[in-house]
Amino acid sequence: MICLGIEATAHTFGIGICDDKGKVLANERSIYKPKAGWGIIPMDAGKHHEEAKHSVLSAALEKANLKIEDIGLIAYSRGPGLPPCLHKGAELAKELAEKHSVPLVPVNHCIAHIEIGRLTCGFENPVVVYVSGGNTQIISFAEGKYRVFGECMDIGVGNALDKFGREVGLDFPQAPKIEQLAKNGKWTELPYVVKGMDLSFSGIVTECIRKHQKGEPLEDICYSMQEVFFSMLTEVTERALAHLGKDQVLLTGGVAANMRLQEMLNKMCEERNARFKVVPREFAGDNGAMISWTGILANKPGQKIKPEDAGIDPRWRTDDVEISWLKN
Ligand code: ATP
Ligand code: FE2
């Protein structure tokens, strides 16, 4: 069985193709870039996806050396995400499923970040640190669902980094540029906000902006912001690991590309004799392969919908999804 997966929750329009052994045959994408000084404008991102969809589809089929008739299953990201973007993915999924009489599977984008991480890292039952633009969650599987043990109470860690970067005039995506600037910085005092198992980033961003306006060196603020954000994440992950008695930590999502975050989590895991792995960079940010692979997993126990039911779910939570492909 070969599955074509369509990702369109935010900035990325992606098409991935996987087989049922977990071999990735193609993973093509086109990324919308907001104009300087702006964040994502949902309608503009939707327009980008509309314009990009056919060329990304052709590129993926060509890469996999397949024809659309070879595809046995279509998966698409149903949510969470920005409605104008989600609609573009759902529309294409519906169109392809109808035209070629292929079964259709809706996929939760957050679960897809977890499953591509489990596949590529070979982990069975890890504590998952899912860090991206819109989401920040510490997750683990228990009794039929991926349960959220801790999460951000306001904005995701990627958006927090991007937002500060935007305020100081960096280009989108700002977080990787902050990572570079941080290398030459030193510590400046910042608040640290962990409440129970939950995290809050937006007040710290405000304080960073204030420090920048007062003329503190940008490198110092970038360094300190990363230190604080990633320490907060490491603290909560360590508590989840201890509480659950698990011994694997998987880092996934767009922010997983950050070397300083990897270093901190790795050190904590070493001290606790836990194994630590990071999703490969190609699968860290939004991509179609993760949707395709999760579609295969969900379809194995029989999950599928009719093309006319190919809707979207902009606020679909990780812990609302029944995980029929994993046993307790
Ligand atoms: P989600 O819907 O899962 O929240 P998303 O739309 O934010 O996903 P992803 O591609 O998963 O998209 O993550 C993008 C985020 O990752 C952006 O905020 C980006 O700045 C951040 N990012 C990318 N590279 C780095 C890096 N090196 N360090 C920190 N953050 C990074
Ligand atoms: Fe994502």
Side-chain angles (χ1 to χ4, degrees), residues 230-241:
F230 301 160
S231 302
M232 288 160 53
L233 279 162
T234 306
E235 179 195 327
V236 176
T237 306
E238 180 168 26
R239 215 156 35 239
L241 205 54

Side-chain angles (χ1 to χ4, degrees), residues 113 128-139 156-158 199 201 230 233 250-258 261 265 284-285:
H113 274 295
V128 181
V129 182
Y130 164 40
V131 279
S132 61
N135 291 283
T136 299
Q137 295 180 327
I138 312 300
I139 302 161
V157 63
L199 313 149
F201 297 107
F230 301 160
L233 279 162
L250 169 67
L251 179 62
T252 193
V255 184
N258 190 287
L261 175 59
L265 286 169

Side-chain angles (χ1 to χ4, degrees), residues 7 9 109 113 130 132 254 284-286 290:
E7 159 57 29
T9 55
H109 175 90
H113 274 295
Y130 164 40
S132 61
D286 291 350
M290 69 183 194

Side-chain angles (χ1 to χ4, degrees), residues 7 9-12 29 31 40 79-82 109-110 113 130-136 156-163 172-180 226 230 252-262 281 283-287 290:
E7 159 57 29
T9 55
H11 41 70
T12 299
R29 70 193 104 192
I31 302 179
I40 297 177
L82 305 169
H109 175 90
C110 310
H113 274 295
Y130 164 40
V131 279
S132 61
N135 291 283
T136 299
V157 63
N159 280 358
L161 292 162
D162 292 339
K163 185 173 177 215
F172 179 86
Q174 290 83 358
K177 288 150 200 145
I178 290 176
E179 181 177 16
Q180 295 312 315
Q226 285 205 152
F230 301 160
T252 193
V255 184
N258 190 287
M259 299 304 288
R260 180 60 181 139
L261 175 59
Q262 292 181 18
R281 192 174 272 262
F283 304 111
D286 291 350
N287 64 89
M290 69 183 194

